Amino acid sequence: MSYQGVIKRYRWYLPVSEKTPIITLQEGNTPLVLAQSLSKMPGKNVEVYLKYEGLNPSGSFKDRGMTVAVSKAKEERAQAVICASTGNTSASAAAYAAVALMKCVVLIPKGSIALGKLAQALIHGAQVIAIDGNFDDCLELVRQITKEYPITLVNSLNPNRIEGQKTAAFEICDVLAEAPDYHFIPVGNAGNITAYWKGYQEYKKIGRIKHLPKMCGFQAEGAAPIVRKQVVKDPQTLATAIKIGNPASWKAAEAARDESGGLIDLVSDQEIISAYKLLAAQEGIFVEPASAASVAGLLKLAKNNYFCKQKTINNKQTLRIVCVLTGHGLKDPERAIASIEQPKVLPANLKTVIKEIGL
Ligand code: F0G
């Protein structure tokens, strides 16, 4: 039978039963691309793989969690779902709520979400409310609303979201026939690092993999509460998806880091943009800036000879590294345009054009 989404594929590992109506857009099953250029890291044999989550139906990894969260909400006869979002959660919630014939309300920080994501939430028919505040303010409002009113929270505070998102770790292990040695990932509200760690641990427990990866998470320099060990009141970064100052899954992210022997570090906006451009220009993959934080982190550690110092684990000559690319570049075309030289305008004249091409 053809592929039918993450619930059908991994139903034994998910909180669903025959009674659960499956709301799916055939999310998941995303490519694990061997990165040719990034794998040529000096000083160590490495294989770098890119988990291309931008190829999910709404263009981000959120769809894995949303299929489970919205299916469970439907099973529980919820009439409406609500989330706070830096853009991708709202786009995904709006799409899945549309399929489920449910009302969807999204609270977004005014002026701080990429245009593509806003377009998605609107066109899927969500009620979009822009809040004069940041993501953390939106999440606090949503927490209070869902405590008192009959509307289901679909942020990653909802455990069904984490359950769905852990399937990405299963896919990586299924493709590699083992876990990678390192797992690099951007960290915002910290749900995804929590989900991957849960997925790897579950696969280890049932014997599908023999070892666990070191979890390496990266926050943006101006929005790095976990690294700085304190809430950031006014987070700042051009990677708007991870512009978060008080992550909901803070403790779980620290647990993933500490239990795996990994790290959570920060990368500057400049490092994020360099990685963003490198991915597009050398690997052929267009991501949104927040997604490039995982690769920016990889390049930062490589520059500091981190991998040279690492002993080869599991008696292997080559280290296997997976970087998660969380969202598609088309979500934020304005950032791409702002990051690169604009096209030259020439007259419609053959000679001039040929000269410009350099032929
Ligand atoms: N990358 C992208 C593209 C994201 O949209 C997010 C989070 C992250 C990384 C970080 O993942 O929050 O699980 O640590 N976006 C959320 C949203 C906050 O509202 O769309 P996280």
Side-chain angles (χ1 to χ4, degrees), residues 1-9 22-27 29 67:
M1 201 189 283
S2 65
Y3 180 74
Q4 291 185 307
V6 299
I7 295 182
K8 284 257 169 81
R9 177 153 180 200
I22 297 177
I23 309 296
T24 181
L25 290 165
Q26 300 187 9
E27 60 296 309
N29 203 22
T67 182

Side-chain angles (χ1 to χ4, degrees), residues 108-304:
I108 53 166
K110 189 184 106 201
S112 270
I113 82 166
L115 202 62
K117 304 174 188 179
L118 178 61
Q120 287 180 286
L122 291 169
I123 201 77
H124 288 305
Q127 181 177 1
V128 179
I129 303 171
I131 300 293
D132 195 4
N134 60 31
F135 169 83
D136 303 293
D137 299 323
C138 295
L139 188 60
E140 187 48 40
L141 285 167
V142 163
R143 277 186 205 250
Q144 287 176 18
I145 293 166
T146 50
K147 233 185 250 164
E148 291 192 25
Y149 298 92
I151 183 163
T152 302
L153 175 84
V154 290
N155 278 105
S156 55
L157 284 163
N158 178 335
N160 294 321
R161 279 275 315 278
I162 303 290
E163 291 298 314
Q165 283 174 212
K166 76 185 179 190
T167 59
F170 297 165
E171 286 178 14
I172 290 170
C173 299
D174 289 344
V175 170
L176 296 178
E178 222 347 303
D181 299 303
Y182 294 88
H183 181 98
F184 280 65
I185 183 166
V187 175
N189 211 24
N192 211 25
I193 189 171
T194 304
Y196 271 100
W197 184 233
K198 187 166 198 285
Y200 286 126
Q201 283 179 303
E202 287 183 12
Y203 250 30
K204 169 113 189 307
K205 207 166 175 190
I206 59 165
R208 294 291 295 259
I209 53 174
K210 289 195 197 64
H211 75 278
L212 291 165
K214 289 185 194 297
M215 302 297 289
C216 301
F218 292 88
Q219 301 193 294
E221 189 172 21
I226 301 177
V227 181
R228 300 191 192 283
K229 301 192 181 76
Q230 60 182 35
V231 171
V232 177
K233 286 248 151 57
D234 183 22
Q236 292 301 335
T237 170
L238 55 75
T240 51
I242 52 172
K243 194 171 155 188
I244 294 174
N246 188 12
S249 300
W250 189 321
K251 288 253 147 58
E254 286 180 335
R257 174 194 67 193
D258 299 341
E259 289 164 21
S260 73
L263 53 86
I264 297 181
D265 197 355
L266 52 81
V267 282
S268 67
D269 278 4
Q270 212 180 343
E271 288 169 317
I272 289 174
I273 289 300
S274 299
Y276 168 74
K277 288 185 177 174
L278 181 149
L279 279 167
Q282 294 184 29
E283 303 291 357
I285 297 183
F286 186 25
V287 299
E288 63 169 290
S291 304
S294 58
V295 173
L298 173 70
L299 295 172
K300 180 178 175 180
L301 295 195
K303 201 167 127 195
N304 296 337

